[in-house]
């Protein structure tokens, strides 16, 4: 059972990839590159198709814990807790 938040994240990523845009990439704290974050737990950096970047904690593949999110479209940044 996927949460609504998780379903939305997957839908946005899949749609961007279908349109031939930049693909989602997760770089784990060990430097391993993944094409999906599903079930990943630990620290990492996610690069999104829209050029946004998240650096921080993941739990079960979603942002959860301490992290920073950089919005490429307007330059805003959120630095705080994710749940």
């Amino acid at each position: 059972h996927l949460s609504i938040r998780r379903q939305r994240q997957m839908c946005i990523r899949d749609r961007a990839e279908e349109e031939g845009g930049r693909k989602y990439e997760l770089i784990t704290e060990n430097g391993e590159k993944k094409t999906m974050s599903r079930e990943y737990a630990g620290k990492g950096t996610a690069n999104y198709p829209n050029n946004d970047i998240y650096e921080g904690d993941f739990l079960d593949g979603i942002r959860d814990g301490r992290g920073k999110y950089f919005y490429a479209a307007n330059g805003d940044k959120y630095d705080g807790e994710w749940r």
Side-chain angles (χ1 to χ4, degrees):
H1 172 270
L2 294 175
S3 71
I4 292 174
R5 179 176 151 206
R6 178 70 177 146
Q7 290 174 17
R8 274 187 36 221
Q9 287 176 343
M10 291 172 61
C11 181
I12 290 167
R13 182 181 64 228
D14 292 346
R15 187 176 30 211
E17 289 180 6
E18 286 172 5
E19 294 171 0
R22 182 177 170 193
K23 297 193 183 324
Y24 174 87
E25 179 182 60
L26 172 69
I27 303 171
T28 69
E29 58 193 316
N30 298 325
E32 181 183 355
K33 293 183 179 182
K34 298 177 170 269
T35 58
M36 68 175 71
S37 58
R38 190 170 293 144
E39 299 181 14
Y40 177 70
K43 295 192 180 300
T45 300
N47 297 296
Y48 295 93
N50 66 354
N51 292 319
D52 287 358
I53 299 170
Y54 171 75
E55 298 173 346
D57 299 327
F58 288 83
L59 180 63
D60 293 327
I62 59 173
R63 299 182 294 264
D64 191 282
R66 186 87 184 145
K68 298 176 188 176
Y69 193 98
F70 302 91
Y71 296 87
N74 60 14
D76 286 350
K77 178 177 85 170
Y78 172 77
D79 184 352
E81 290 294 316
W82 294 82
R83 297 278 170 229

